[in-house]
Amino acid sequence: MVFNKLQETVSFIRSRTSIKPKIGIVLGSGLGAFVKEVKVETTIPFRDIPNFLAPTVEGHSGNLIFGHVGDHPVAILQGRNHFYEGHSMETVVFPTRTMALLGAEIMVLTNSAGGFGDTMQAGDFMIIEDHINLMGTNPLMGPNIKELGPRFPDMTEAYDRSLIEKMEVVFNRHGTRFHKGVYCAVSGPTYETPAEVRYLKMIGGKAVGMSTVPESIAANHLGMRVAALSCITNLAAGISRRKLSHEEVTETAREVEQKFTLFLKDFIESI
Ligand code: HPA
C-alpha cells in the first residue's frame, strides 16, 4: 500500500523533472532561504504532489525543489510535516522515502532545536552525532515494507561518520561556533518542562526538538547515509529564565540564516 503510493508519487515527480537527485535535503523551520544558493531547475509545491501534504506550520513553505549545488544534483524539501500536526508517522517519512526512490543516497536533515549543552548559546549549531527517540513511536512500526529495507535495521552509525567529519571541516574553515552531540526527539507540540530538560541532560542529550528522528530512521532503513544539523534557536526550558516561544525560534533561525546557508552550500559541495 505505502509502496504503491510511493511509486505513484515517484512517477509523477519523474514526469516533472529529469534531475536524478544524489542528495535529499530537508530544510527546517525558518531555514528555507538556502534555496537562494541552489541552481533551481524545477519547483513543485507539496500540494501538487500526489500523497504529499502541505505543511501547516508557520515558517515552513512546502515546496519540493530540484536543482544543483555545485556539481551535485539535489532535491530539497522546503518544509516538512511534523508528528505533532496529527500526521501519521507514515506521512511524516513519506517525503524521505520518496527521495530514496528517486535515487538519493544521502539525506541531509536540518532543524531548529532547543539547546542544553554546557556552553551552548542561542544561534549556535550542533552536528547531530546520535539521537534518542522519545516520540513514543517509530515510523517502521507495522508490517515491514521489504522493498524499502530490513525488519530490524541497524542504527549503530545512524549519522554517517565521514559526513560528520566533513561538516566539522566546513565549520572550522568558516570560524563558526558549533557543537557535536545527541539530539533528543520528543512529540511536542508543547515545549519541554525544566524537569524534562534536566532528564534529557541526564540521559546524555545536548539538544531537543520535534522532528528529524523519524526521517533519520526511515533513511537508515532505506540504507541512505544521513547527516543532520540542529540550529540551536533557543536555550531549552529552564536553562535560562526566559519563556519559550515559536517567535523566538523563527527569529533566531532568521538571524543565523546567512551563516547556515553558506555552511550548507559548502558542506554539500564538499560531499
Ligand atoms: N524544544 C523543542 N523543540 C524545539 C525547541 C525546544 O526548545 N526549539 C526549537 N524547536
Side-chain angles (χ1 to χ4, degrees), residues 112-114 186 191-192 208-210 233-237 244 249:
S112 294
V186 295
Y191 291 116
E192 300 65 42
V208 57
M210 306 171 194
T233 49
N234 57 283
L235 293 177
L244 273 50
V249 168

Side-chain angles (χ1 to χ4, degrees), residues 10 12 19 26 36 39 80 95 118 149-150 170-171 176 202 205 208 216 239-241 267-268 271:
V10 166
F12 167 82
I19 291 193
V26 180
K36 281 184 273 181
K39 280 169 253 146
R80 57 153 63 91
D118 282 337
V170 175
F171 273 133
T176 297
M202 222 183 303
V208 57
S216 169
I239 302 290
S240 83
R241 291 230 180 90
F267 167 57
I268 303 282
I271 291 176

Side-chain angles (χ1 to χ4, degrees), residues 19-78:
I19 291 193
K20 238 190 119 204
K22 176 180 165 194
I23 304 170
I25 304 167
V26 180
L27 299 176
S29 307
L31 301 172
F34 168 69
V35 170
K36 281 184 273 181
E37 297 299 325
V38 181
K39 280 169 253 146
V40 174
E41 200 225 51
T42 309
T43 300
I44 318 174
F46 284 176
R47 63 172 178 277
D48 293 350
I49 305 174
N51 307 310
F52 267 48
L53 288 181
T56 60
V57 193
E58 208 182 306
H60 284 260
S61 322
N63 291 304
L64 175 56
I65 295 159
F66 290 89
H68 285 84
V69 177
D71 294 332
H72 297 310
V74 300
I76 299 169
L77 293 154
Q78 195 184 31

Side-chain angles (χ1 to χ4, degrees), residues 81-192:
N81 298 119
H82 296 83
F83 189 51
Y84 62 72
E85 291 173 84
H87 300 305
S88 67
M89 276 289 175
E90 180 191 314
T91 300
V92 171
V93 302
F94 195 89
T96 301
R97 288 174 162 166
T98 302
M99 299 287 102
L101 296 189
L102 286 168
E105 291 158 15
I106 293 173
M107 205 64 203
V108 177
L109 304 169
T110 68
N111 63 44
S112 294
F116 48 90
D118 282 337
T119 58
M120 274 184 184
Q121 299 169 8
D124 286 353
F125 295 96
M126 186 185 90
I127 297 172
I128 299 179
E129 286 187 303
D130 204 346
H131 75 227
I132 300 176
N133 177 14
L134 297 165
M135 296 181 103
T137 183
N138 186 301
L140 306 186
M141 275 172 67
N144 184 47
I145 307 166
K146 59 181 184 314
E147 292 86 348
L148 302 183
R151 171 73 293 188
F152 300 109
D154 174 60
M155 294 291 281
T156 310
E157 197 182 323
Y159 301 90
D160 185 85
R161 233 165 270 146
S162 74
L163 294 174
I164 289 174
E165 278 167 22
K166 285 185 162 62
M167 287 196 273
E168 286 184 87
V169 168
V170 175
F171 273 133
N172 284 327
R173 182 153 28 95
H174 288 192
T176 297
R177 274 176 67 88
F178 73 98
H179 307 263
K180 289 195 292 179
V182 173
Y183 174 89
C184 300
V186 295
S187 70
T190 52
Y191 291 116
E192 300 65 42

